[in-house]
Amino acid sequence: MNVMSRIDVVPRTAEITVAGECAVCDPSGALFLPADGLLVVSDLHLEKGSSYARRGSFLPPYDTLATLHRLGAVIAHYRPSMVVSLGDSFHDGGGAGRMPEAFREHLLGLMSGREWFWVAGNHDPAPPEGLPGRWIDELALGSLVFRHEPTSGVEGEIAGHLHPGARIVRRGRSVRRACFACDGSRLIMPAFGSLTGALNVLDRAFAGLFLHEALTAYMMGKDRVYPISADLLRPA
Amino acid sequence: MNEETNTSGEISALLPASFQAWFAARGWTPRPHQIDLLTRTREGRSVLLIAPTGAGKTLAGFLPSLTDLAGRKRPKPGERRRGVHTLYISPLKALAVDIQRNLSQPVGEMGLDIRIETRTGDTPSHKRQRQKHLPPDILLTTPEQLALLIASPDAERFFADLKYIVLDELHSLVTSKRGQLLALGLARLRRLAPETTSIGLSATVAEPEALRRWLVAQDRPGTMADVVTVAGGAKPEITILETDERVPWSGHSARYAIPAVYEAIKRHRMTLLFVNTRSQAELLFRELWHINEENLAIALHHGSLDVGQRRRVEKAMETNSLSAIVATSTLDLGIDWGDVDLVVHVGAPKGASRLAQRIGRSNHRMDEPSRAILVPANRFEVMECRAALEANYLGAQDTPPLGEGALDVLAQHIWGRACAGPFDEDEFYAEVVSAEPYAGLDRATFGRVVEFVATGGYALKTYERYARIRRTKDGLWRISHPSVAQQYRLNVGTIIEAPMLAVRLVRRRGSLGSSRGGKMLGQVEKYFLESLAPGDTFLFSGRVLRFEGIRENECFVTSAAGQDAMVPSYEGGKFPLSTYLAKEVRGMLADPARWRALPEPVADWLRIQQEKSILPQEKDLLVETFPQADRFYMVAYPFEGRLAHQTLGMLLTRRLERAGARPLGFVATDYSLAIWSLGDMGGMIRRGELPLSRLFDEDMLGDDLETWLADSWLLKRTFRSCAVISGLIEKRHPGREKTGRQVTVSADLIYDVLRGHEPDHILLQATWRDAATGLLDIARLGEMLSRTRGRIVHKDLEQISPLAVPVMLEIGKEPVAGSANESLLGEAAETLIEEAMGSA
């Protein structure tokens, strides 16, 4: 078999099971639960650029638009009936208020015709100003519970907050990517925002959250998700 | 200029009695160039002094200010405090400190009342404060400190009395962004003190006109400073190392030459050994100690080592207690270093002017010849050394051309200007274009950079209310808040270093948890350390170290004495083959008569090449194709340096892909480029399916380049440094970084967002320009493609040619360039699948 045909049969997404529920990791960084028609995105950090600009660092004012474009594409693909934004949807409490009108319209367009949940995050502890959608602390669905910050010892938790990323080394080269981190009973979502960095899953911040032997990092490639087992991962 | 004796009348008119007495007491007479320079500066003319090392350059540079200061009246009581009289700027902190010592001696001996002080990054803040209130007569400093001084609200008072600016090692300063920032600072100083005279001190350069323009305001284009040239002293005695050992085909270690080099060290008082990279320095140092039966004091010195260790080596050198020092470019500048009587240069000299600099180091007395030995590490380097040697005798030296001023540097300068006080945009534009690197800057671009400093300069204007600088009703730009000045001070400078990790030597292997304390060995690039796995061994700081792991900003290692270093050490500092030397090497290759000067095995190698394949004419481009194992290879020999070859390799593989040749990878050296593929490229060329003239057509520098670059890490790396220099993102301050979560937003992410939504943003333009001249060497590639148009010679071979052996040996040693990251991820995932499926 030649290389090309092998690549063709490799799926672009990765299917996983969390506490018995099936979900699909999309290379965009979104999670889709087909049984519920539910799309989950985490840590959008909208208006991060303008948040920095207030302190004199003029990051491009296009981060919100870039994130919404990607969100729009993934919504168009899965056509979810429900969307959960898993906290830190805005980079700070004033983010929704600062959002330029055109971006707000864009977001409203994505929200219309589906149920939308804003989960509270540490960056946005209050509901976003002037936006529809339900404001919640956490959401339980079947055997799963969705909240922003992971808590220890909970089965079936899907959380965000930590921006997991992973690093591998092959042939003297180091590759670093954001990832879904999952050990079968817990899943931590990658940050979806266009200006959000990643923290290595082997960092102390993740201590106690995963059963190491069962941990898989679903690293995000250009248009594919790569499942990488824990023993191949490198710190920092 | 002839070194004629000066008439005593001339001297006594120019030199105060105390100076004449001082010269006489030493049995010296002022040298003609010193008097010449003094005469010209007295007439208010700026001067470029070109002189070889040891010609009394420093004293010449300071004579105008010393004599002027000596004749100055004591200040009357109640008189306004005087500002700085003379500003001296050097590229190195150490040089400023050195000059202070060298100047204090004559000043003390002549009993002159002149205060000389240094101001560098190491100067304590209370001393800086004092200097501002009570400026010294002569201030010795660096370009970064000058930027800070002129950005201060009291710059006007501080520099009001400035008479002279002395710029040391000008040839090495002007070619970088540092030099561009300095040029802008100089333009500022000329406004603050219009009577100022500039004195540039430089080693011999190919095009002094560029430096002469650089020194003076370009209000009228092409205005130049005067020039005083001192003819070189005795010709250096340079030889290429002779050994009975065979010169290797490839590689950079020069291991074969170690015994002969050791013998040379034994025969001299003090030897300086120069290499091109830090890894070469580590390796050479280790190999020398391996055979150091006589226990000679051989030391190691390079920029990554711990400062304390470097200072100890420098001290030992001054006191002549060393036999030899292995060093990289950190020792490259004109510092006075004891009694060196031999310079050994290992590896390719990469450019004749660098070579001349290094040879100049040997033996500072101008009238005695310097001794130097060149040690080529492989066969192509033999030819390069030969070419460099001939170039040195011919005096044909090249420094890189002075580039056009970069826009990120300009942004930083504009920000600093606003910190000093309100400015008028048009007036300031006139000042900026008076600086030589910015003479061609158009008004509209300048305006865009001002906007960039103010609010980021985006087409989508949403940051107006957060502006850093604002135009007020009177039409002047002002900073909007004092914190803007504070932020500027933390981010000044143009030297963006690769992220480094401190290397700490600990006792216990394995666990990082309990590792406390341990000796600091120095700093190593993060990207290198990240490619190591625990247990890997590498060379650093003269020892073999075992990598244990990384925690926060430190890398932990244990001693692995007695083991071999497994991982070829990190690079650090590579210089491309200079255009001039490349031409010489091509010429040598084409002319069998010149092979007589080469060692027999090398000449032999070329003869066999001629027999089995061909040797290209000087202006031709040779392309060979041949099969090897189950692959097909194409090797091209442009001799344009590794950077240009890498760019060429990227572009050619894209084209070969489209042509259906199924390329798999490529590797580039300074001399040639090898591409391998599944398709038979030789056959395709033969059958006319792959015309070489199409493949190597210059139009590859158009769309192909654009598409490839958009995603290239090269461009991202360049963007990062532009973003930091221009003040878009904040500089990282070692030791002050927060751990864990990143505080700064990754430049790569910013790049992606910006490119997606405003591809012609001013900072992306700046990035593109930088990359084109720097990492990609596009200009050089373009020249090569146009030079070889219609002159490509193809040789289809049954097997590898002798000339192709060196680059073929590099395959597998060098990581394959390109965006292979995805396939690495794929491989890693594959491993997992194989495991799961239970296959072998």
Side-chain angles (χ1 to χ4, degrees):
Chain A
M1 209 196 305
N2 77 31
V3 182
M4 288 318 287
S5 64
R6 196 173 63 208
I7 285 171
D8 285 342
V9 299
V10 173
R12 54 185 291 283
T13 55
E15 283 182 27
I16 56 166
T17 319
V18 190
E21 305 271 350
C22 284
V24 175
C25 300
D26 189 86
S28 65
L31 184 78
F32 185 62
L33 282 78
D36 307 293
L38 170 69
L39 186 79
V40 189
V41 286
S42 187
D43 298 272
L44 300 178
H45 287 264
L46 298 172
E47 290 302 306
K48 182 168 179 172
S50 62
S51 184
Y52 270 68
R54 290 185 306 166
R55 286 176 274 139
S57 286
F58 301 120
L59 302 187
Y62 308 110
D63 57 311
T64 299
L65 193 60
T67 304
L68 293 180
H69 273 315
R70 287 171 38 243
L71 186 57
V74 70
I75 285 178
H77 184 258
Y78 292 100
R79 298 164 185 265
S81 54
M82 268 194 296
V83 174
V84 171
S85 175
L86 210 49
D88 288 359
S89 307
F90 285 88
H91 191 67
D92 61 71
R98 283 198 312 272
M99 188 159 56
E101 198 43 44
F103 298 178
R104 176 188 307 275
E105 304 269 306
H106 195 121
L107 177 57
L108 288 174
L110 298 180
M111 294 176 76
S112 86
R114 48 186 55 94
E115 234 183 316
W116 197 284
F117 297 95
W118 298 108
V119 176
N122 53 313
H123 279 257
D124 51 356
E129 200 182 312
L131 283 173
R134 280 178 60 193
W135 177 257
I136 51 173
D137 281 331
E138 56 179 63
L139 175 73
L141 198 72
S143 57
L144 299 175
V145 59
F146 299 84
R147 65 165 68 88
H148 179 61
E149 287 190 38
T151 45
S152 49
V154 181
E155 172 88 6
E157 183 182 72
I158 294 184
H161 182 59
L162 291 172
H163 301 204
R167 188 167 81 88
I168 58 159
V169 175
R170 303 289 289 183
R171 287 193 265 145
R173 287 180 56 154
S174 168
V175 182
R176 215 186 239 113
R177 292 295 159 87
C179 68
F180 297 84
C182 185
D183 65 355
S185 66
R186 180 200 304 278
L187 169 69
I188 300 187
M189 301 274 298
F192 193 86
S194 53
L195 284 185
T196 49
L199 178 66
N200 196 300
V201 283
L202 302 183
D203 190 273
R204 272 176 287 183
F206 290 88
L209 291 176
F210 295 111
L211 189 65
H212 187 78
E213 306 80 77
L215 174 66
T216 301
Y218 296 86
M219 294 174 73
M220 298 196 295
K222 245 197 179 68
D223 39 25
R224 226 192 106 182
V225 174
Y226 299 93
I228 309 289
S229 70
D231 56 339
L232 289 175
L233 301 179
R234 295 281 182 78
Chain B
M1 181 115 343
N2 290 326
E3 292 266 334
E4 287 162 15
T5 17
N6 302 285
T7 61
S8 53
E10 233 183 306
I11 294 173
S12 56
L14 284 161
L15 278 186
S18 53
F19 284 71
Q20 292 183 40
W22 183 79
F23 271 101
R26 268 148 203 83
W28 295 352
T29 41
R31 296 196 182 183
H33 68 266
Q34 293 171 332
I35 295 302
D36 192 4
L37 188 138
L38 191 55
T39 314
R40 288 168 196 266
T41 50
R42 278 287 161 81
E43 292 161 8
R45 309 186 58 79
S46 291
V47 182
L48 173 68
L49 174 64
I50 295 181
T53 328
K57 219 172 3 186
T58 314
L59 189 56
F62 279 101
L63 265 186
S65 54
L66 291 178
T67 53
D68 191 50
L69 281 166
R72 198 175 56 168
K73 301 258 180 332
R74 285 188 150 278
K76 293 191 193 82
E79 197 187 329
R80 182 180 62 89
R81 204 172 277 150
R82 285 171 177 154
V84 167
H85 176 275
T86 298
L87 190 63
Y88 164 90
I89 297 173
S90 105
L92 282 184
K93 277 192 271 193
L95 202 51
V97 176
D98 227 56
I99 296 284
Q100 183 182 29
R101 213 175 36 221
N102 295 347
L103 272 187
S104 298
Q105 201 189 350
V107 165
E109 287 165 354
M110 285 186 262
L112 301 174
D113 180 22
I114 298 176
R115 274 202 312 129
I116 307 171
E117 289 181 13
T118 59
R119 185 186 181 97
T120 70
D122 297 339
T123 308
S125 63
H126 64 88
K127 191 176 165 197
R128 288 182 203 211
Q129 278 305 321
R130 207 197 57 224
Q131 278 176 345
K132 279 207 168 174
H133 293 296
L134 197 69
D137 300 311
I138 299 179
L139 182 67
L140 313 165
T141 189
T142 59
E144 289 71 25
Q145 292 300 318
L146 174 65
L148 286 170
L149 283 169
I150 59 173
S152 139
D154 29 60
E156 223 163 299
R157 189 179 53 78
F158 193 78
F159 291 114
D161 303 307
L162 189 69
K163 292 283 269 292
Y164 296 102
I165 305 169
V166 182
L167 299 138
D168 207 352
E169 300 285 340
L170 191 61
H171 58 284
S172 82
L173 260 177
V174 292
T175 52
S176 61
K177 286 193 176 179
R178 259 184 122 192
Q180 295 168 6
L181 188 66
L182 181 57
L184 291 167
L186 206 58
R188 185 85 210 109
L189 288 174
R190 283 193 291 257
R191 296 286 148 130
L192 295 173
E195 300 300 307
T196 304
T197 302
S198 303
I199 300 165
L201 310 179
S202 168
T204 316
V205 285
E207 287 165 36
E209 291 74 23
L211 292 188
R212 291 172 63 191
R213 282 196 304 275
W214 195 96
L215 278 174
V216 292
Q218 296 298 295
D219 296 332
R220 277 178 302 118
T223 314
M224 286 198 270
D226 286 7
V227 63
V228 172
T229 309
V230 183
K235 287 215 168 192
E237 274 178 41
I238 314 175
T239 50
I240 295 180
L241 182 82
E242 287 183 16
T243 78
D244 303 331
E245 307 292 324
R246 290 176 74 87
V247 184
W249 293 91
S250 73
H252 301 281
S253 72
R255 263 205 191 88
Y256 79 97
I258 305 289
V261 168
Y262 187 70
E263 287 307 309
I265 294 173
K266 280 205 294 202
R267 287 196 305 269
H268 290 83
R269 266 198 318 280
M270 170 132 80
T271 304
L272 267 188
L273 299 114
F274 281 122
V275 292
N276 286 322
T277 67
R278 276 172 286 169
S279 63
Q280 279 176 300
E282 292 281 355
L283 201 71
L284 177 61
F285 175 73
R286 189 167 167 80
E287 295 290 326
L288 283 172
W289 271 98
H290 254 313
I291 57 165
N292 190 3
E293 284 160 0
E294 299 188 15
N295 241 335
L296 300 178
I298 301 175
L300 177 67
H301 191 291
H302 62 69
S304 294
L305 294 176
D306 183 63
V307 186
Q309 190 179 337
R310 272 183 280 158
R311 295 289 165 271
R312 277 195 296 282
V313 171
E314 286 159 16
K315 199 90 220 155
M317 190 167 173
E318 277 169 32
T319 55
N320 292 326
S321 47
L322 291 175
S323 297
I325 297 168
V326 181
T328 59
S329 52
T330 38
L331 277 179
D332 217 9
L333 293 159
I335 304 176
D336 213 0
W337 300 100
D339 269 336
V340 174
D341 59 344
L342 174 68
V343 171
V344 174
H345 189 291
V346 179
K350 308 291 179 203
S353 72
R354 295 188 59 81
L355 178 74
Q357 276 292 301
R358 293 182 166 195
I359 308 282
R361 179 82 54 256
S362 162
N363 207 328
H364 267 216
R365 285 175 296 275
M366 262 184 65
D367 19 6
E368 284 174 36
S370 311
R371 276 185 49 72
I373 301 176
L374 303 182
V375 183
N378 60 52
R379 293 176 173 202
F380 274 119
E381 284 185 3
V382 171
M383 283 189 271
E384 210 186 312
C385 283
R386 195 71 231 168
L389 200 149
E390 283 163 22
N392 196 63
Y393 279 126
L394 297 170
Q397 305 184 15
D398 52 1
T399 35
L402 308 195
E404 220 174 287
L407 298 180
D408 53 350
V409 175
L410 178 61
Q412 190 181 104
H413 182 67
I414 293 173
W415 187 359
R417 174 66 191 86
C419 297
F423 69 88
D424 174 84
E425 191 172 323
D426 286 321
E427 225 172 82
F428 188 35
Y429 170 69
E431 176 187 315
V432 163
V433 292
S434 79
E436 198 273 341
Y438 294 89
L441 179 75
D442 62 277
R443 180 66 182 79
T445 307
F446 178 76
R448 285 185 70 191
V449 181
V450 173
E451 283 298 328
F452 171 84
V453 175
T455 60
Y458 299 105
L460 183 71
K461 300 207 174 296
T462 54
Y463 292 163
E464 301 299 326
R465 63 194 137 148
Y466 312 124
R468 205 145 52 185
I469 60 173
R470 280 205 176 88
R471 203 187 332 229
T472 44
K473 284 205 194 84
D474 54 4
L476 301 182
W477 286 94
R478 292 184 151 81
I479 54 170
S480 50
H481 193 270
S483 65
V484 171
Q486 222 170 340
Q487 203 186 354
Y488 169 80
R489 283 196 291 273
L490 287 173
N491 288 283
V492 82
T494 58
I495 303 172
I496 308 299
E497 278 159 12
M500 306 283 262
L501 294 179
V503 178
R504 191 186 280 284
L505 181 67
V506 295
R507 288 246 175 88
R508 273 186 47 189
R509 289 195 171 179
S511 108
L512 292 183
S514 57
S515 314
R516 284 280 154 104
K519 190 180 160 163
M520 292 299 258
L521 297 179
Q523 305 252 323
V524 172
E525 280 88 352
K526 196 165 162 217
Y527 77 85
F528 170 74
L529 295 171
E530 281 180 345
S531 69
L532 300 179
D536 283 355
T537 51
F538 66 104
L539 270 182
F540 182 68
S541 190
R543 347 163 170 233
V544 182
L545 301 172
R546 182 178 189 273
F547 176 78
E548 300 296 340
I550 294 172
R551 208 173 68 198
E552 281 148 25
N553 293 315
E554 292 191 346
C555 160
F556 293 85
V557 296
T558 51
S559 170
Q563 289 183 41
D564 277 334
M566 294 188 308
V567 182
S569 199
Y570 61 102
E571 295 168 3
K574 280 206 169 177
F575 307 103
L577 181 62
S578 83
T579 324
Y580 181 82
L581 279 191
K583 189 166 157 280
E584 287 292 304
V585 171
R586 283 198 308 269
M588 194 175 291
L589 216 53
D591 182 5
R594 293 177 69 179
W595 301 353
R596 278 194 293 272
L598 301 172
E600 198 41 38
V602 177
D604 230 18
W605 173 52
L606 298 181
R607 273 191 288 273
I608 301 171
Q609 167 72 14
Q610 208 169 24
E611 221 169 85
K612 307 240 165 180
S613 176
I614 30 175
L615 279 168
Q617 288 308 301
E618 189 184 327
K619 289 191 175 136
D620 289 352
L621 172 64
L622 171 64
V623 175
E624 295 175 327
T625 48
F626 50 87
Q628 170 97 358
D630 51 354
R631 302 277 159 80
F632 295 91
Y633 289 82
M634 174 190 284
V635 180
Y637 304 88
F639 293 93
E640 295 295 345
R642 195 154 159 268
L643 295 177
H645 293 167
Q646 242 165 14
T647 307
L648 180 63
M650 284 291 178
L651 297 172
L652 285 182
T653 39
R654 288 178 83 88
R655 295 197 152 186
L656 288 165
E657 183 85 57
R658 279 206 300 271
R662 286 177 291 159
L664 295 170
F666 72 88
V667 64
T669 69
D670 261 338
Y671 314 97
S672 54
L673 165 73
I675 302 178
W676 55 98
S677 67
L678 292 170
D680 176 6
M681 294 179 282
M684 291 170 76
I685 297 169
R686 249 190 349 258
R687 293 189 295 274
E689 295 160 21
L690 188 69
L692 283 177
S693 56
R694 280 294 308 135
L695 189 63
F696 284 84
D697 195 292
E698 277 163 272
D699 63 8
M700 75 168 75
L701 296 179
D703 291 352
D704 273 346
L705 182 65
E706 198 90 23
T707 359
W708 162 54
L709 265 183
D711 265 332
S712 161
W713 61 272
L714 285 166
L715 212 56
K716 288 187 176 171
R717 193 201 273 180
T718 310
F719 177 77
R720 179 179 164 268
S721 92
C722 284
V724 174
I725 292 173
S726 67
L728 182 75
I729 55 177
E730 303 214 32
K731 219 174 184 169
R732 281 159 187 269
H733 293 278
R736 261 187 272 169
E737 288 145 326
K738 299 237 170 87
T739 52
R741 242 176 231 248
Q742 304 250 316
V743 197
T744 41
V745 182
S746 136
D748 286 8
L749 296 174
I750 298 173
Y751 173 85
D752 287 338
V753 168
L754 193 52
R755 200 183 140 76
H757 293 84
E758 196 176 336
D760 50 1
H761 186 263
I762 186 95
L763 202 56
L764 290 178
Q765 288 181 12
T767 303
W768 172 260
R769 268 178 30 180
D770 259 24
T773 48
L775 288 166
L776 303 168
D777 230 346
I778 286 172
R780 198 148 166 203
L781 181 55
E783 276 161 30
M784 188 278 288
L785 293 174
S786 113
R787 186 188 75 229
T788 57
R789 200 185 312 138
R791 308 201 60 136
I792 301 178
V793 183
H794 174 227
K795 187 79 185 167
D796 195 28
L797 301 166
E798 311 245 300
Q799 58 182 23
I800 177 172
S801 76
L803 212 55
V805 171
V807 69
M808 294 288 286
L809 288 174
E810 291 295 318
I811 297 175
K813 271 197 246 165
E814 293 255 342
V816 177
S819 53
N821 288 353
E822 287 289 319
S823 61
L824 295 181
L825 273 173
E827 264 181 35
E830 211 65 44
T831 317
L832 186 75
I833 293 163
E834 275 164 21
E835 256 172 44
M837 304 296 284
S839 64

